[in-house]
Amino acid sequence: MTTFRKFFTLAVLLLPLAAGAQSVNPMAYYIDEEGVEQETTQIDKGEAPLTVTFRANPSDMDDWTPSYEWHFFRQALDQDPEELFVRYEEDTQYTFSESGTFNVMLKTFLDNEGTQLDSITIVVTIPDSKLEFPNAFSPNGDGTNDVFRAKRDYRSIVSFHAYIFNRWGQKLYEWTDPAGGWDGKYKGTDVREGVYFLLCKAKGADGVNYNFRKDVNLLRGFTESSQSSGTTTE
């Protein structure tokens, strides 16, 4: 076979791949703290548990029937990334329940001969956990500190259970979501001002176990103008 014929044959074989400009545009989709769906290639401060949908978003595949491999890696300090598992589907979903940095690599194969597009990686970072509580609240209807709850900067809490007791050990309220809290009522009726008791057990995405046992001051007469008293309600 002449050099020209060899070149011509090779060009014909490559024509479908080159002409089609096959591509993928992998993206990560998740719901942020405001309840809005986000589309990104890098999640910097995802709060566990974080459910993420990964989509390959292929285009110009024409007559090709591509196959996909989503490789999930966990980054380790001063070590090579550890591969956790592989998913074989165009779109896949995973819930990140541990802190750390994860690389999600998409490999796309166009045929059974190993024709492959460039691999693309999405990075997901889940920060270490944090959970704190104030020592008082003021359920007086002024819109400030009306509910006793975890401080607003909590993050990456994967399990949570909190209880409120009175001084006689009677359970007044319980909740299982760190975004929830106690409004200072028992069976729909306001309880008296005074000192109550919080018991909370929780676990962070980084494996930290939280065990809170502390007094809670209920101050119905507390307003913003009385903050000079030094009582902390945030």
Side-chain angles (χ1 to χ4, degrees), residues 57-131:
N57 296 321
S59 60
D60 298 318
M61 289 301 173
D62 300 322
D63 295 329
W64 297 98
T65 304
S67 59
Y68 305 92
E69 294 182 3
W70 294 94
H71 293 254
F72 287 72
F73 296 87
R74 179 170 186 152
Q75 287 281 73
L77 186 63
D78 298 329
Q79 298 180 14
D80 292 333
E82 173 193 4
E83 184 164 9
L84 303 176
F85 55 87
V86 183
R87 296 278 182 84
Y88 301 92
E89 49 200 351
E90 180 176 327
D91 300 335
T92 191
Q93 188 177 85
Y94 181 70
T95 299
F96 294 88
S97 58
E98 297 182 0
S99 62
T101 298
F102 301 85
N103 295 334
V104 183
M105 177 189 295
L106 173 63
K107 294 183 178 181
T108 306
F109 299 90
L110 297 178
D111 55 32
N112 294 328
E113 304 302 321
T115 306
Q116 183 179 350
L117 299 180
D118 290 340
S119 299
I120 301 175
T121 299
I122 295 173
V123 179
V124 178
T125 301
I126 305 295
D128 289 341
S129 66
K130 182 178 181 180
L131 183 64

Side-chain angles (χ1 to χ4, degrees), residues 38-58:
Q38 299 294 330
E39 176 188 66
T40 184
T41 59
Q42 182 168 331
I43 301 175
D44 294 322
K45 296 181 179 180
E47 181 181 321
L50 182 69
T51 299
V52 182
T53 299
F54 298 93
R55 297 174 185 162
N57 296 321

Side-chain angles (χ1 to χ4, degrees), residues 202-221:
K203 185 174 182 179
D206 48 2
V208 173
N209 291 305
Y210 296 88
N211 190 2
F212 289 92
R213 298 172 180 269
K214 62 180 297 182
D215 291 341
V216 178
N217 293 283
L218 192 158
L219 308 170
R220 295 194 185 279

